Amino acid sequence: MRFGTPLQIKLVILGDGRVGKTSLALRYVHNVFSEKQMATIQASFLTKRLTVDGQVVSLCIWDTAGQERFHALGPIYYRDADAALLVYDLLDKDSFDRVQSWVRELKKMASKNIVLSIAGNKSDMAKSLHGNMQDAEMYAESIGATHFVTSAKLNAGIEETFMDIARRVMQQR
Ligand code: GDP
Ligand code: MG
């Protein structure tokens, strides 16, 4: 039993540029959203304290400062991560392919028991969540990940996504 300092969880957010990684983190931690390109608010590291099954934990969220655009995120970024949230844009098939390439990299380079979760973001823009959704869910299941549909704009699915990650990490401890 530890007192004082809460247990820490390191979560990295990965995905293509512009899919909404920073927006999800900012919505979750500060409950804000901006339509504009976020040049000034660079959320590279955010912390949120939450209670998981009665246990206080500190969720440390690592967001990129845009390096993903140059494919310049090395293993050092996620090597000691407890969890990764892989984000794609529901309207952008390429961004889903990018999630799959991230997963391959993580399976090779990250901790063996890293908790994986996939978020299909911008649900407010996706008119109907058609067949692709089933593919995404099946893919997530095949790699032991959970899959959520989110909107940073409308604050939909976000609490659930982060809570699920924290809970699954805690279950391993
Ligand atoms: P990042 O590059 O992955 O960090 O993406 P950003 O968080 O910077 O978001 C890129 C753009 O998408 C910004 O203009 C955001 O306002 C917008 N955006 C992010 N999340 C959502 C969402 O859920 N719905 C909509 N409609 N736009 C979003
Ligand atoms: Mg960003």
Side-chain angles (χ1 to χ4, degrees):
M1 174 79 94
R2 278 206 272 169
F3 298 96
T5 45
L7 291 165
Q8 292 214 347
I9 294 173
K10 176 178 172 179
L11 165 68
V12 294
I13 307 189
L14 299 169
D16 249 348
R18 308 291 296 165
V19 295
K21 300 179 299 297
T22 302
S23 299
L24 287 172
L26 287 172
R27 175 59 93 182
Y28 180 58
V29 176
H30 295 305
N31 197 19
V32 294
F33 176 78
S34 166
E35 298 274 357
K36 304 225 173 67
Q37 164 103 354
M38 278 166 285
T40 47
I41 316 168
Q42 287 289 15
S44 44
F45 184 81
L46 293 166
T47 302
K48 177 142 165 159
R49 208 168 263 218
L50 65 160
T51 306
V52 181
D53 301 326
Q55 171 107 58
V56 178
V57 302
S58 185
L59 185 63
C60 307
I61 303 171
W62 292 54
D63 181 24
T64 71
Q67 303 97 315
E68 69 273 15
R69 263 154 243 178
F70 315 107
H71 295 267
L73 276 178
I76 196 147
Y77 181 74
Y78 54 74
R79 202 164 41 197
D80 58 346
D82 300 296
L85 175 59
L86 302 140
V87 185
Y88 69 100
D89 179 335
L90 287 165
L91 299 169
D92 175 3
K93 168 88 172 57
D94 288 351
S95 71
F96 186 73
D97 296 342
R98 185 76 186 111
V99 162
Q100 294 176 287
S101 73
W102 270 117
V103 168
R104 284 192 292 274
E105 182 167 337
L106 290 172
K107 293 275 185 196
K108 253 191 284 170
M109 312 288 284
S111 150
K112 281 282 157 280
N113 54 3
I114 190 167
V115 164
L116 299 178
S117 188
I118 301 174
N121 189 42
K122 308 195 186 182
S123 64
D124 56 285
M125 305 269 282
K127 288 206 180 66
S128 61
L129 299 171
H130 38 72
N132 289 350
M133 188 53 51
Q134 261 180 319
D135 292 351
E137 270 161 14
M138 272 169 59
Y139 171 72
E141 209 182 306
S142 75
I143 58 155
T146 44
H147 179 267
F148 290 88
V149 171
T150 60
S151 168
K153 183 171 180 173
L154 303 181
N155 196 7
I158 295 174
E159 280 288 332
E160 294 88 332
T161 301
F162 285 94
M163 183 51 94
D164 164 73
I165 290 168
R167 183 166 282 134
R168 285 162 63 219
V169 171
M170 294 310 291
Q171 278 165 0
Q172 291 184 347
R173 295 211 177 155

